[in-house]
Amino acid sequence: ESTQTSTRKMVQTEEFRQEMKKQDAENQKHPLVAACSQLLRATVEHNDAMNRIPIAELKVFEGRPSPVAADAYLKRIMKYGGCGPACLVMGMIYLERLKKRVHKVWLTSKNVQRLFLVAVMEAAKFNEDFYFSNKHWAEIGGIPLSELNALEVTFLSLTNFNLYIAPEDYDAFSSAILEWKPTPRSSASASRSATISEEHASVKATESNRNSFTDVTTALSAF
């Protein structure tokens, strides 16, 4: 009987793995994944070009520049994180909330590896029936487990442990992401050096007239 039970468990485990692989493949093709990937990469490249430096509260999320592009990193999270496209949207909403609570929250190549990872991880924990352990997420992000645990506590504290998202807010946010199109400024990484001085001048001229963060649900410019 124990042998039959063990065999049944093995079959169920294999079926679960196959189902996960199928779901992961479907998730990778979801329009939200492509849209979020494009937006994340444009945001990071823009903030790097502007040489934006987050404030002290976010220094714990800083590190060496991510070894992979932001869009590739997002796809890695989707491939190994076992979470649906909705978690990407939720993670970005959490970052928007963080921006509203803490001034100068910008995603750059030095913090996206940690900040975006934690945001999506919290979304998965809140939204998914099944989610991986912090140890697994640490392996996805290529950071020590102890560091990820500390980052999670910091992130939750900074966001006031507010993870609930109203359905209408999610719908508006996801629709805005799908409708977002990169501007020449946000997608021109090849010509970044030619436009950076112009961007600096434009930002300096309007700094006193607008917030450094534009609500993603209306303009989706940059975190």
Side-chain angles (χ1 to χ4, degrees):
E1 184 177 351
S2 61
T3 302
Q4 291 178 345
T5 301
S6 177
T7 301
R8 184 165 59 251
K9 287 182 177 179
M10 290 177 63
V11 171
Q12 291 174 342
T13 300
E14 182 59 29
E15 289 177 347
F16 175 75
R17 288 175 178 171
Q18 292 301 322
E19 182 61 30
M20 286 292 290
K21 288 181 179 179
K22 180 180 178 181
Q23 186 63 49
D24 289 344
E26 293 176 355
N27 286 340
Q28 292 287 349
K29 299 176 182 178
H30 197 284
L32 274 173
V33 175
C36 288
S37 297
Q38 193 175 34
L39 173 60
L40 185 66
R41 178 163 185 162
T43 297
V44 170
E45 289 183 348
H46 173 68
N47 289 335
D48 281 351
M50 300 298 291
N51 195 30
R52 285 175 165 165
I53 302 175
I55 58 174
E57 286 90 334
L58 296 178
K59 283 295 183 182
V60 292
F61 292 94
E62 293 277 307
R64 294 180 178 179
S66 176
V68 296
D71 54 339
Y73 185 54
L74 181 149
K75 291 176 181 177
R76 172 180 172 81
I77 290 175
M78 286 300 300
K79 182 176 181 179
Y80 299 108
C83 54
C87 292
L88 298 178
V89 178
M90 293 175 67
M92 289 185 170
I93 292 176
Y94 294 158
L95 290 173
E96 182 190 32
R97 289 178 178 175
L98 178 60
K99 179 68 181 182
K100 291 179 178 179
R101 288 178 58 85
V102 183
H103 185 51
K104 292 185 178 179
V105 173
W106 293 308
L107 283 174
T108 70
S109 59
K110 292 184 178 180
N111 66 22
V112 67
Q113 183 177 2
R114 293 167 175 80
L115 192 53
F116 187 72
L117 178 79
V118 174
V120 177
M121 181 181 77
E122 294 310 311
K125 288 185 175 183
F126 188 85
N127 187 61
E128 302 289 341
D129 294 329
F130 168 84
Y131 57 85
F132 289 113
S133 66
N134 280 23
K135 180 180 179 181
H136 182 84
W137 281 94
E139 292 174 350
I140 294 175
I143 59 179
L145 173 59
S146 58
E147 181 181 358
L148 179 61
N149 289 339
L151 292 175
E152 180 179 29
V153 172
T154 300
F155 184 86
L156 290 173
S157 178
L158 290 172
T159 55
N160 199 30
F161 293 84
N162 181 18
L163 299 181
Y164 172 75
I165 299 172
E168 57 271 20
D169 292 338
Y170 173 86
D171 291 342
F173 205 98
S174 59
S175 295
I177 290 176
L178 289 172
E179 294 170 1
W180 177 83
K181 299 296 181 183
T183 63
R185 183 185 68 178
S186 63
S187 62
S189 57
S191 60
R192 185 189 312 165
S193 59
T195 61
I196 185 171
S197 58
E198 180 181 343
E199 290 177 357
H200 272 294
S202 176
V203 169
K204 185 175 181 180
T206 59
E207 188 70 24
S208 60
N209 297 323
R210 64 175 176 83
N211 193 288
S212 59
F213 173 75
T214 302
D215 193 320
V216 72
T217 57
T218 58
L220 288 155
S221 73
F223 286 106

